[in-house]
Structure formats: C-alpha cells, structure tokens
Amino acid sequence: MNTHPVAPHPLSTQELHLIDAYWRAANYLSVGQIYLYDNPLLHEPLTLAHVKPRLLGHWGTTPGLNFIYAHMNRAIKRDELNMIFIAGPGHGGPAVVANTYLEGTYSEFYPDVSQDTAGLKKLFKQFSFPGGIPSHAAPETPGSIHEGGELGYAVSHAFGAVFDNPDLIACCVVGDGEAETGPLAAAWHSNKFLNPVRDGAVLPILHLNGYKIANPTVLARISHEELDSLFRGYGYTPYFVEGSDPALMHQQMAAVVDMAIADIRRIQQQARQSDTVERPRWPLIILRSPKGWTGPKVVDGKPAEGNWRSHQVPFSQLANSPAHLQLLADWLASYRPDELFDANGRLRAEIAALAPQGTRRMGANPHANGGILLRDLRLPDFRDYALSISRAGQIEAEATRAMGVFLRDVMRANPDNFRVFGPDETASNRLGAVLEASERTWLGNLQEDDDHLGADGRVMEILSEHTCQGWLEGYLLTGRHGFFSCYEAFIHLVDSMFNQHAKWLKTTRSEIPWRRPIASLNYLLTSHVWRQDHNGFSHQDPGFIDHVVNKKADVVRVYLPPDANSLLAVTDRCLKSRNCVNVVVAGKQPAPQWLSMDAAIKHCSQGIGMWEWACNDFAPDDTPPDVVLAASGDVPTLEVLAAIDLLRQIAPDLRIRMVNVVDLMTLQPASEHPHGLSDRDFDALFTTSQPIIFAYHGYPWLIHRLTYRRRNHGNLHVRGYKEEGTTTTPFDMVVMNDLDRFHLVMDVADRVPALQHRAAHIKQAMRDRLVEHKAYIEQYGEDMPAIRDWKWPY
Amino acid sequence: MNTHPVAPHPLSTQELHLIDAYWRAANYLSVGQIYLYDNPLLHEPLTLAHVKPRLLGHWGTTPGLNFIYAHMNRAIKRDELNMIFIAGPGHGGPAVVANTYLEGTYSEFYPDVSQDTAGLKKLFKQFSFPGGIPSHAAPETPGSIHEGGELGYAVSHAFGAVFDNPDLIACCVVGDGEAETGPLAAAWHSNKFLNPVRDGAVLPILHLNGYKIANPTVLARISHEELDSLFRGYGYTPYFVEGSDPALMHQQMAAVVDMAIADIRRIQQQARQSDTVERPRWPLIILRSPKGWTGPKVVDGKPAEGNWRSHQVPFSQLANSPAHLQLLADWLASYRPDELFDANGRLRAEIAALAPQGTRRMGANPHANGGILLRDLRLPDFRDYALSISRAGQIEAEATRAMGVFLRDVMRANPDNFRVFGPDETASNRLGAVLEASERTWLGNLQEDDDHLGADGRVMEILSEHTCQGWLEGYLLTGRHGFFSCYEAFIHLVDSMFNQHAKWLKTTRSEIPWRRPIASLNYLLTSHVWRQDHNGFSHQDPGFIDHVVNKKADVVRVYLPPDANSLLAVTDRCLKSRNCVNVVVAGKQPAPQWLSMDAAIKHCSQGIGMWEWACNDFAPDDTPPDVVLAASGDVPTLEVLAAIDLLRQIAPDLRIRMVNVVDLMTLQPASEHPHGLSDRDFDALFTTSQPIIFAYHGYPWLIHRLTYRRRNHGNLHVRGYKEEGTTTTPFDMVVMNDLDRFHLVMDVADRVPALQHRAAHIKQAMRDRLVEHKAYIEQYGEDMPAIRDWKWPY
C-alpha cells in the first residue's frame, strides 16, 4: 500500500461526480431488479407490462450497501487493497448483484447476464423470480461468503475469513437490525482474537438506517454518546458518517474510509515491525443514512425515504394505481440512466474505470470462492497414533486424548491453514495435546501463570458457540481447514447456523459449478449425554444428530466411533473430506478399547460390520443367529458387549451376532443416502427374520426413522436416551434409560423364542442385579466395582 | 422503602463481623457440599471416610455468589425489598443451596434436610450424588427460576421476571464466562424495554472472577476504561467493587449496593411521579473478586485461589494424598465453624438474624415459584372471533389475522399479566390487531411518525429470538402468560433454550411437587417453509417440530391447524394449558377456509379426524375406502383437497377418505404420548390394509417415526419438505417437494389397485400439467390462475 495523507474532503469535483454516478448506477440497477420485467433502460415510456407481476425485495438497506461498495472500490483501487465484502443486512442481494454486475464479475460467472441491454433485462427479471436468484446475498452471488438472511454472523464470518490471511481485509457491513442479535453482539469481541501480524483485518461498518421491518432499531435510538461509548468499550475506534446529502456524505465517507484504512495500515506495520504483539484498537465505521435513501420521499402522502415504510418495496399495486407507475418512472429517471449507460446498455467507460481490476474486484476475489485457494492438509499417518490393542477390551483409554495427539501434529504440519475451535473446552475435552503445537489465541492482557495463551495461537476458544461456529465457517469458506469440539448438548446453540451452512453447501454442490469444493465442517461432540455425571439432566441432549440428518443427504455424515483407534480413522477421513458436515460423537472418559488399528480401519471404511470376535453364531450351516445385538456409540457398545457376556453365561448355546455401527448413515437405504447399505447387505447383517436389539447413543426413534423401510424392521427393538437423567453415576445413567446390560439381557429374553421357557427367571435375575446396583450407588456414590471393572473375558 | 444516606463505609464493626460470619457460613456449607460425606461440623478429626468418593462440583464461582447473596440479604432486610436472586454462573448450585439453607427456606421445602447436624449431613451428601441434587441452580433449588448450566439467559430471565412486577427487583449475577455468550451480550439491551413505572428493576451484577474452565475471560482482561465504557454504552451506570481483602470488600460492596438501591428507588420514584417516561440509566455492579476466593492459596505448589485451577474442585485424589486431606481440614477450619453453628448444627441466632423473614427471603419469594401467583387469563370467547363459513373452501382469509384480533382482546382483558413477544414480526405475521390493545414496548428515543411505540407497551419486539425467549421464560416462570410468534425457520435459534425450558418443566412436573404449575410456553410459527416466496431456500426449515418431539411427551404439544377457525380453537386451548410447550404452525397468507367454528371445535378437540364432506367412501357395507388421503398443515390440506378434486374427475368411482391431523401427537401410540390415539381408533381412521398418502407440513420421515408401530404403517406413503426450495412461487414450492396435487394424484395412481390399468395414463396427464405449470411461471413469475384460483367445488 502507498502512504497518502488523509484529507477532510478528499474527493475532487470530478471524483465526486464519478463516484456519485457509480452509486446512482448501482441504485438504478437495484430498483430495476426489484421492479422491472422489461424495458431496462427506459428506452420506451414505462408501462405496466414492463413491471413484474409480483413485487418482492427490500429496498431499504440497498442504497447504503451500494454507497459502501462504491467507496470500498475507490480505496481498493488506489491502495491496491485485497478486500472482500460481507453484506450482513438481510435482503442485501440487489446491491451486491448490482455492484458485481457493474464491475464485470457477474457477467463472467453468468455470461448470459451480459453487459448490454439484453443482459440488463435478464439481470432485472431473474431477481426474486421463479428459477432466478434470492433476495439475500447468497451462494449464487459472486464475492459472497455469507448468506445474508438469518442475521447474526457477519462479523464472525469476517474474522474467520481474515485469520491467517495477513493481506486480506474483510469489509463487513452490519445492519442495525442484525446488530440486535446475540451472535452479532458477542462477535464484536473477536478483536481480542485477531493478531495484527499473522492475520488480516476486519473493517466493520455498522450501517444505521434506523429501522427493522416495522420498528426502529435499538442502536439507532441510543444517544451518540452511548453509541460511541459502546464501541469504544468493545475495543474499537468508531468513525461516524452521518447525513443524507449525497455530496456531503461522499466526502465524509471518503475521508473516514481513508482514516480507517490508514489506521489498519499503521497498526499492521507497527505490529509487524515489533517484537511483541498487543491488541490494537481497530477502526470501525458507523454510517447513519436514511432507510431507502434516494427512494421516493413520499408515497400516498406518507413519508417513505428515511422511514420503516421503505424497508421492503416502498410501493406496489401498480396495476391499480397509475400514480404509482408514474412514481416508479420518476424514481428510475432520477438516477439519470442515460448518463450512466450507453445506448447498448453498457456502463460508460469513465464510470466503469472506478472499479478495481481482475481479482481485486470484490466479486472476483478468490478468498470469496475459497475452494480455489484450498490446499490439501499435510496429514501425518493416523496409524502412527494407534493404541496397541492385542485383545479386545483389556485396556482403557480416553479416545479424544489419542485424537488430540493426532490433531497436534496436524496443527504442526499445517501452521497457516488449520485451526481448532471450541468454547473453552479443548483441554476439558482431553484434546490438550494440541496446545503443544500452538497456544490458545489471546490478544487480551496476559498475567503470570496464564496457561498456553498467546497472540500467535491457533487454538481458538471463546465461550460462545456462535462465535466459534462463525469463525470456523469464515475460515472454511475462504479455503482453509478446521475442527470444532463442543459439548454434545450445547451444539444445539448453533442448530440454525448449521442449517445455513448445510444449505449453502447443498446449493453450491448442486447448482453452482463455479464454487469450488471447500473443506468439510467437522464437529467433535464430546462430554456427551451418557457422561454428565454431575452436570445432570440439563446437559443431556443427543439430538443434534436428529437435527443434522434432516438436511440433504449429500451433505451430512454422522460417525459414532466406539473407541480411540476408530476415532482416529474417522478423524482422518473427516479431515480429507470436502463440502460436507461431519458430526463425530465420542466420549472423553476412560473407556475400554476394542479394535486394533487394522480392525478399526476396516470397520470404519465399511461404516458398519459384524464384530466376529464378539459373535458366537458360526454354525456350520446357514442358520441365522438367534438374536442380533447391535450398538452404535461408545457407551452402547460397552453395554452390548457386557450383555453378550451375561448371555453367554446364562445361555451358552444361544447364537448371538454382534453388529457395530460407526457410520450411522449406512442404516438408511442406499437410495436415500450415499453411504446407505444396499438392502442385500443390510439383510445379510441384520437377518430378515430374527430379533434385533439395538443399543443406540441417542434418541432411539432415530434408528426407526432410518430403517423403517428395511425388511426386518418389524423385529427391531431400539434402546437409547429417552430423556431420563439426573446427577448420578455413569452406569446409573444407562440404567435410567433401559440401555444397560441388564435391561438388554431382559430385552433378549423377551424376544428370543429359544429363551422363552426361561425368560421369567432370567428377567428376575437381572432385576435383582439392578436392585443391588441402586442400593450400592445410594450408599457409596459410585458404581459397583463389578460393573466399573468389568472386562470382556473371551 | 425508607430513605437512608449512602456512606462510603456503611458497616459498623459489629455489622461487618456478622455479615462476614454469614458469608463464612455459606462458604463452609459450599465446601462441605463439594467434599464431605460425613462429619459435617468436624466434630471428629477429618478422615478419608468423611470425604465423598467422587468429588464433583465447582468451587470457583461459589464464594462470590455467597458474598453477593449475603449483601442482598442486608439490603432486603433493611429496606424491605421484594427481591429474587438469579444465579447466572454455571455450577452455582452450592451457593444458592447453602444460602437458602441458612435462611431456613431449604428445610421448609425439604424437611429431611433439617437445620441440625443430621440435616447438614444430608445437605452435604446429596450434592452431586446419585439421587441427589445437581451442581447448577436448578428447578430443585428454592428461589430459582433459572437453570444455571447452559449460560446465556440470566439477564433476559431477570428482565422477564420484573416486567409488570413494579415492586420486584431481580438481582441477577452474570459470570464473566457467561458474559461472552451471544444471548447474554444481546440481553444487556433489555434496559431499552423496561418501564420504570409499570415494571420492576433488574440489578445486574457482573461477577468477574477472571476465568472460565481453562482460560481467562474476555471481560476480565480488558482495561477498566474499556469495561466502564462498554457498560455505559449499554446504558448502565457501572459501580465497581474490586479486591480480595474480605473486610475491605464487605465495606465496598455494602456501599455500592446502597448506591445501586438508592438509584433504583430514585429512578422509580421520579418516573412514577412524572407524566412522561424516559429511559433511565440503571445501575449495574461489577464485582471483581478472586476465583475460588477464600479457598486454598496454593495446591501442590501451584497457585489456586485467584486462578483458573480453582474453577472446579481445587484438589482431589485425597485417598492418595494425606497432604490433600489436611489441606481440606485446614480449609474447612479456616471458616471457624464453631463460631457459626451451635453444637446441634444450627446456625447461631445472631448470624441467622441477618436473613430476611418469611417471603422476603429470596428462597421463599413467591415470584420464584410463579405457579403460586398464577391467575387464569380472562379469555374472551374465541367463538366470537369465528369466520363465518357456510361452505368449505369458498372464502380466503389470513389465519393469523383472525388470531391477532382474538389476541388483541386477550391483551385488553389481561393488562397486567399477558404479553406478546416476537423478533420484529408481529405486524408482518399479520397479528397487527394486538397493536390496537397495546403499543410496542419502547423506551428508546421517539421520533415523529413512529408506529405504535411506547413505554407502556406490552408487545415486545427485539430482533433477537434469544432475548424474546428469555424474556418470555422469565415472565412465565414468575406466574404470568405469554405468546411468542416467530418465523418457522429461525425458531431453531432457540433450540437449546427450548431444551432447557422443557427439561425444567419435565423435572418440576415429575419430581418437585412444591413447584406449582405455570402457564405453558406458546409458540406460533408462521412465515413457514411453504411461503418463503422471495426469502428462498435459506428460510425453509420445518424441523423445530422434530426437535420438540424428542423431549418428554408429557411436556410437548404440536398443532397444525388448517385454517383460521381451527387456529382460534387451538389458540384458546394453548392459552388455557399449563406446564407444557405448545407449538402451533400456521400460515399468514390468504388461504382457503374450510371449517365452520363448530366443525373446528370438534376437529381440534379430537385432534384428528375424517373430513366427511371431502370423502366419498360412504359405501353401504363396511368396505374400506380405496385410499386414505391424509393432511397435516394448511398447505398440505389445500393440496390434498385439490388432489381429491382431480381424482373425483379422473376416477369418479374411487372411494376416497380424507383425514386431517391438527394435533400431531395423536399419531403416536397412546403408550407414548398422552394425546396418542388408541390403535383401534387409528386403525378405524387409516384402515389396516389400504394405501395411505399422507401430505405433511414438515420433514416426511417424522410421520414414519411417529407411526412405525401402527398396523398399517407398511402402506403409508408420506410427502413433505425434503430440502428442495428456492425463490419461487407458492405452488412451485410444493411441486419441488412432490407435495403438490399432481404428484399426490400420481402417488394414488401408483398405489391403488383399482387404478392400476390407468396409472400410466393418469400419471402422464399429471406430468403434462406440471410441464404447463413450469412454463407458465417462468414466463409470468406467478402461479397459473387455474391453480391460484382453484376452489373446492363440491
């Protein structure tokens, strides 16, 4: 970047004229998108036939976004900035589409929307039209990494985008509606996690246009003093641009943008020349401009510009109101399109020259199509991290601790494009080894005895699942890799964020070939439902899986590795995958280990399989087993194996098959999910006639929902979490939900004809054991040694 | 309240001595709960046998909570304040339990935990022990309206509690971990919605103890200047109490509490004597005290007090470390229990005298057991709001608009205990009539042309679903009634908050008889999946229903009324219900009306039923119909009826039964849900042999999950939302998901034997209609008149 002085009125008359023309052009194209079906340049007198039959879209936020985009173009072009644009406000689509069209990128991605009259007509028609484009900035929008509709994530996406991108600036526009949301309110504190040396910069622009749908906004109606104080408290230097007169506003905005860019440059230069890194006070722009700026001042005798009535379409019902048709004609003409576009509908060259060139155009910045920049992770061989297992179930280990060592070396091998995210739980989730490779990111004050904190850290912890998820999404969408570990119950906090990301991936996979595949979003859910020993009932919810599997099958994967080696194999697979959301559920507590690494690899690559060492159904003929015991999840696997041990003592002749499910989606029909087993394979595992007792990690009905089309579904009996729980011992938790070994034996006794004559006796014996258990824990507060110390004996 | 001067060191030596003794007693009881199994007063030398085998709990936050509680007691007692205590920090259970025990309320609720040595032993043992009590403030905790585990909702709960409770003060402690969350960061702005005349006050206490689980907190590591600025920006006057020396801290805290209470009183007095209401600057206390304050200074050579290592249990492994046992003995002795409790284990009278009396005790305040104060709503007769329907399907209406008129009169009749909440969508969701009864709550600046804004409003809109939900929960838990309307897709933002509330209700219903029933939490989900005409794919998610039905059946209800009259009947039912979460899904767009009010009442009271006027299976014999067409939801109902019309034209002899489902839980077996149909009734409706085509509002597999045990499940074919959508017309949305009338006819043709010989022909005719539809919308941007204007013709 060049140095340049900051002037109070930096624009010459000619510059002012041109930037205003550029802005008018964008505004014209925005109104055109909302209203026009034909006659895009008003070369004929406007008639009803030129207007869309259904008027959809939101004008209110659009002129402000256009204003900001034009001014960012000026800064990019002069200083050769590397900048992306994040449009936080909902329904900001027309603005981003208009600007990427003006700068030429839109037509490069969508050649049929050409830079001529025919292209303009298509541009206008397609907006909010069947088969066209959405009203929000969306995956379809060049230059966007952010779906603008839900509101709340603009700032965390922006920070995620610039981590490890030292040259990048994310210009992040936050609407004052969005600024009321919780995720956004928390994300302002992201500045405590941004390193001015290794990371880029976020230039937030709080756009106060005063109104949401029908109400004023909180931040638009507090005093200037409070507003200034709030953002200073958040750690920013706020610069204000306030007014409505375009000429004055252009000068103010240019001056403020120059100051903000100068601040960023100064901060980065100082930090990069210094030995120590301190948190700087980053600039922030507060732009207060009228809602629906430059739109009609009055509609039907009521104020429109500067009012909530401009939030959506400022007027409609054109078929019934010639006055409205005239209002539209006058409004469009007010931008003087003839001065902006030539006779063929092309933006005039002197105006077009204001836009940056090539990949400096924000619509063409490769960071906003991260797959282009994606490099494969350098992955150490996960087999090197294997626990040595000579016999099943003889040693205990914490699965996530083994994973942590693997992730540590992934961090070491990929210092500039892999980060780990989590709400203050990396160590608690036994992933602490990653701290040997990198500190926790921390730009706050340091104190003696702080543990692994530093500005250069890439382990990112803030007690806001929303912020973690937003950072990670921004990081992935700009072409990097990451990993989010979270308490299982509280991942529901980001249900709606997951929805948006999964929908983004579905759309890009199926409809937008120019969006290149990005790294998958990987969740580790641990501290899971079965081990909330003292958090109790409020921390028990395995339902994120249910939420996830509602999304398009192409995009979602769910893994329940039963031990450390299988967790390692699954982790490797997830880190290599693209354009998916991978959900891995695994406990962090010491637990028996079952599979050698070779066995784990085979098991995980199939996703489901018989554990032959736990079966005794190897009859010489093809007779099916008497019963299939299936497990999915680490705790259910333990209980199923303990139940098999009991059954082998009670009924040595009983032929038992044990099936373990790592990849939950194998249960679905192959027609429903790419990982789904064929019916033939499913029937071979689960038989077509014998009882199946299925012990599942989560809500049991999910297994029914996945398998109801399978032939033997009528014989399937599922145990899982049924919302029973409290502060109690690990084994008591499974007992409360009938998932324990004793209940499983009772289930078998109830369902296997060969045991029918002894069922009452077996069940009474199991009930006796449960009574003994209850008495013990009430006395001693922990599980009986015979249960705690049980080992697979065969 | 009395007036009293505010002194810098308000405590006399005797007062200081006593309040410190009270605090020590609470700290002693807290440590005892975490560590002791027996020997509660150390009357014998401490041995391993006196220590719990598993040490669970969090010491870090506890002494600060005890400190605050003691000081609030002082203020309550002197000024006769009506105050409740909200413990935001996770794992704050030991503190609230200790304090309610000291003030006597705990033993009143739980007589076996008596105020003597035996009771102390029980108090200690039960904490985080099987069959005991959780580590968080919880439903079991007297005086609590707030489950402390998830973090994020303390402030919104506190504000919800004091709306329409002018004499109440909610003392709300926010941990600095919780303060990092989004929902909490947004909730500080609740002060823009609190009316000092009609509402009470919240006294927030930000408790900075510096650390989360393993990290420092953001707010503890920004400068004093930034912290002060942040909260002034949020609109508060922050008072700081900082230090670690108990004697100095007691004086500081007493002085600051006196100032804060004086502020509250002054604000309320001024506002209540004034004609105009302006937003005041409410006080807020920032208490910076060491984590694990008064705990061991050093453990195993490492700093403990004031460090993250004090977050949980500061030391364990007592069986292996005699030094740790001694450390515990010394720590307990440091509180000098003999000075605090008499020989029988009762708190000494001069210390006990510090607590308030009766219902002024925070553990006994009836507002914290809202069911005690609950008054039934005065409900106008919903029948008076009926749309007049002489023949099915002849008129169109917006269902939510009719509901809005009913709610308007509910608001009018219940001016002090009913509020409506929503994220800026009351008018957009067509509930605008409520604004005739009350303005939108707004304490921000007013401007000319503002629409229905006022300090006295009870329609509460902030663009934060989290804050809306938190306010409503606080309002309900303190014994009032409310209603939350939200976009269907974005209600997922509060999935995790719903979880906590549903778990609270489940626990109180089944395990805590002293918690009296409260009004149900009522959701209206509108702007639903099928009508996101220009928001498009990102705004389409009907999965909240799936999320809700995972919770305990006793607690959850889901209603899908097909028209305005049935929505009115359902609304009346929800407003009368107790201790449930009611989810109502209904569209806001103009749609055909089917049921007269009498028919709607009958239909909604059964929850499911045949619509006889739409059936033609009335054969003289008992032959079942050829096919059952079922619908649940307004859009599916329309498509099913249109499909029946087509089928009657195509195959007049086909015997069709039409079933409509309003109460989704009727589909579950009666053994699974209290609303579940008996198998006999289910079979009577759906037959045991005939094909069922079920058009459902949401994800189709939910219907399978609810019905997989039903006899005719094998013949059930469900259509619903399968994650296909974009910016398109209403009818095209159903087409994209195969839920439209033409696909439904094809489904029938595929499955009904009587049509088999004509199936190919029928299906081709339907495909032709779909091609015609696609061509039309691509040309005109809206649905064909023949589809838009279709009316039930019989």
Side-chain angles (χ1 to χ4, degrees), chain B residues 522-750:
Chain B
N522 300 311
Y523 292 104
L524 170 71
L525 308 186
T526 184
S527 299
H528 64 47
V529 55
W530 300 109
R531 293 306 304 269
Q532 294 300 331
D533 308 5
H534 80 301
N535 281 307
F537 188 50
S538 64
H539 286 50
Q540 295 163 358
D541 187 296
F544 188 66
I545 299 173
D546 303 60
H547 180 70
V548 160
V549 300
N550 274 339
K551 288 288 162 287
K552 214 64 184 174
D554 289 348
V555 173
V556 296
R557 308 282 183 268
V558 180
Y559 300 101
L560 295 135
D563 67 0
N565 285 339
S566 54
L567 176 59
L568 285 165
V570 163
T571 303
D572 181 73
R573 181 172 180 173
C574 293
L575 292 176
K576 287 172 176 161
S577 89
R578 297 288 180 268
N579 267 0
C580 283
V581 177
N582 297 308
V583 179
V584 181
V585 186
K588 68 184 188 184
Q589 304 288 350
Q593 300 299 307
W594 311 109
L595 302 180
S596 70
M597 184 48 92
D598 284 347
I601 291 170
K602 177 162 175 278
H603 186 46
C604 295
S605 68
Q606 294 175 339
I608 183 170
M610 238 183 276
W611 281 8
E612 294 174 4
W613 50 268
C615 305
N616 63 351
D617 73 328
F618 301 109
D621 53 23
D622 282 343
T623 336
D626 294 311
V627 62
V628 178
L629 278 130
S632 187
D634 47 11
V635 167
T637 298
L638 170 61
E639 291 307 312
V640 158
L641 288 167
I644 290 176
D645 181 20
L646 286 166
L647 286 165
R648 286 174 72 160
Q649 295 168 42
I650 294 166
D653 296 337
L654 193 72
R655 288 157 24 107
I656 302 167
R657 178 177 297 176
M658 197 277 185
V659 171
N660 190 276
V661 183
V662 178
D663 178 347
L664 198 65
M665 307 319 286
T666 56
L667 296 177
Q668 275 207 308
S671 57
E672 299 283 319
H673 195 281
H675 290 191
L677 277 194
S678 71
D679 279 337
R680 191 171 135 171
D681 289 345
F682 189 94
D683 291 347
L685 273 178
F686 288 99
T687 82
T688 56
S689 58
Q690 301 304 89
I692 308 164
I693 311 295
F694 197 124
Y696 170 54
H697 170 84
Y699 293 109
W701 31 85
L702 179 63
I703 301 302
H704 290 291
R705 171 257 206 254
L706 296 174
T707 59
Y708 67 85
R709 292 194 188 163
R710 300 294 192 175
R711 191 155 155 208
N712 199 24
H713 177 256
N715 284 316
L716 174 64
H717 179 70
V718 187
R719 295 293 186 184
Y721 182 67
K722 50 178 193 172
E723 283 288 319
E724 293 295 341
T726 184
T727 306
T728 192
T729 66
F731 186 71
D732 197 45
M733 266 303 297
V734 288
V735 171
M736 290 184 78
N737 291 280
D738 304 342
L739 182 76
D740 61 284
R741 54 199 72 177
F742 303 126
H743 277 99
L744 294 176
V745 168
M746 290 193 268
D747 287 337
V748 171
D750 270 337

Side-chain angles (χ1 to χ4, degrees), chain B residues 432-510:
Chain B
V434 298
L435 298 174
E436 298 167 20
S438 167
E439 294 176 315
R440 299 182 178 95
T441 320
W442 188 256
L443 276 286
N445 300 336
L446 288 172
Q447 292 183 5
E448 205 185 331
D449 202 49
D450 277 336
D451 181 44
H452 287 102
L453 297 181
D456 217 35
R458 289 172 295 119
V459 176
M460 309 209 63
E461 298 195 329
I462 185 172
L463 192 38
S464 163
E465 286 80 357
H466 297 110
T467 307
C468 290
Q469 171 93 11
W471 286 344
L472 175 54
E473 288 179 0
Y475 200 68
L476 297 175
L477 287 160
T478 48
R480 283 80 62 76
H481 306 259
F483 178 87
F484 183 2
S485 79
C486 189
Y487 271 44
E488 184 183 40
F490 297 146
I491 196 68
H492 275 303
L493 283 160
V494 300
D495 277 359
S496 203
M497 298 182 78
F498 157 80
N499 277 354
Q500 294 303 315
H501 191 72
K503 282 175 177 277
W504 179 285
L505 292 177
K506 185 260 187 185
T507 306
T508 58
R509 285 176 76 120
S510 61

Side-chain angles (χ1 to χ4, degrees), chain A residues 543-576:
Chain A
F544 189 65
I545 300 173
D546 304 59
H547 180 70
V548 161
V549 300
N550 274 340
K551 286 290 162 285
K552 212 65 183 174
D554 289 347
V555 173
V556 297
R557 308 282 184 267
V558 180
Y559 301 101
L560 295 134
D563 67 0
N565 285 339
S566 54
L567 177 59
L568 285 165
V570 163
T571 303
D572 181 72
R573 181 171 179 172
C574 293
L575 292 177
K576 288 172 176 161

Side-chain angles (χ1 to χ4, degrees), chain A residues 191-518:
Chain A
N191 56 4
K192 283 84 186 180
F193 300 85
L194 187 82
N195 180 336
V197 179
R198 69 176 299 142
D199 303 325
V202 173
L203 175 55
I205 302 183
L206 176 65
H207 183 205
L208 300 180
N209 66 30
Y211 297 91
K212 308 177 285 234
I213 300 179
N215 274 307
T217 59
V218 167
L219 294 186
R221 295 289 182 93
I222 64 177
S223 67
H224 180 97
E225 185 194 5
E226 281 186 347
L227 193 61
D228 184 73
S229 183
L230 183 65
F231 284 97
R232 289 186 188 277
Y234 271 125
Y236 297 88
T237 300
Y239 292 104
F240 287 80
V241 178
E242 300 177 294
S244 61
D245 180 288
L248 297 177
M249 290 290 278
H250 282 303
Q251 291 288 7
Q252 268 194 62
M253 185 72 177
V256 156
V257 169
D258 287 351
M259 285 190 277
I261 297 293
D263 280 2
I264 290 172
R265 189 175 40 198
R266 176 184 48 74
I267 288 166
Q268 290 180 335
Q269 281 175 351
Q270 285 178 1
R272 291 168 193 186
Q273 287 161 5
S274 162
D275 292 335
T276 57
V277 182
E278 288 185 358
R279 173 167 62 90
R281 184 169 276 278
W282 296 96
L284 169 145
I285 296 173
I286 298 179
L287 169 64
R288 192 189 293 269
S289 66
K291 188 139 197 164
W293 198 10
T294 74
K297 302 269 181 282
V298 173
V299 174
D300 300 337
K302 290 183 179 162
E305 189 194 26
N307 188 278
W308 55 267
R309 291 191 192 86
S310 288
H311 180 72
Q312 301 188 9
V313 179
F315 55 87
S316 52
Q317 303 285 333
L318 278 69
N320 309 325
S321 167
H324 283 188
L325 187 65
Q326 188 58 45
L327 201 56
L328 176 60
D330 294 346
W331 180 13
L332 285 161
S334 76
Y335 298 117
R336 307 193 297 279
D338 289 347
E339 294 179 15
L340 309 173
F341 300 95
D342 67 18
N344 296 321
R346 193 177 181 90
L347 187 65
R348 291 184 188 278
E350 70 275 18
I351 304 173
L354 263 66
Q357 300 296 309
T359 56
R360 293 305 194 196
R361 293 173 298 173
M362 291 192 282
N365 192 308
H367 294 287
N369 183 7
I372 293 178
L373 302 175
L374 185 70
R375 287 170 286 138
D376 287 349
L377 284 175
R378 291 186 209 96
L379 285 177
D381 190 333
F382 68 95
R383 296 176 194 83
D384 297 344
Y385 302 82
L387 299 188
S388 170
I389 307 294
S390 51
R391 258 186 62 209
Q394 302 312 298
I395 65 160
E396 286 205 331
E398 296 153 321
T400 55
R401 200 176 289 282
M403 182 190 202
V405 179
F406 178 52
L407 290 176
R408 175 196 68 194
D409 292 350
V410 177
M411 292 209 83
R412 283 188 176 144
N414 302 276
D416 62 348
N417 67 340
F418 180 75
R419 291 196 181 210
V420 173
F421 301 80
D424 191 33
E425 290 155 9
T426 305
S428 151
N429 288 337
R430 315 283 205 265
L431 300 170
V434 299
L435 297 174
E436 298 167 21
S438 167
E439 295 177 314
R440 299 182 178 95
T441 321
W442 189 255
L443 275 286
N445 300 336
L446 287 171
Q447 291 182 6
E448 206 185 331
D449 204 48
D450 276 338
D451 181 43
H452 288 101
L453 297 181
D456 218 35
R458 289 171 294 119
V459 176
M460 310 210 63
E461 299 196 328
I462 185 170
L463 192 38
S464 163
E465 286 80 357
H466 296 109
T467 307
C468 290
Q469 170 94 12
W471 286 345
L472 174 54
E473 289 179 359
Y475 201 66
L476 297 175
L477 287 160
T478 48
R480 284 80 62 75
H481 306 259
F483 179 88
F484 183 3
S485 80
C486 189
Y487 272 44
E488 184 183 39
F490 297 147
I491 196 68
H492 275 303
L493 284 160
V494 300
D495 278 359
S496 202
M497 298 183 78
F498 156 81
N499 277 353
Q500 294 303 317
H501 191 72
K503 282 174 177 277
W504 179 285
L505 292 177
K506 186 260 189 187
T507 306
T508 59
R509 285 175 77 119
S510 62
E511 293 160 34
I512 312 179
W514 60 263
R515 286 238 176 236
R516 302 282 289 279
I518 60 171

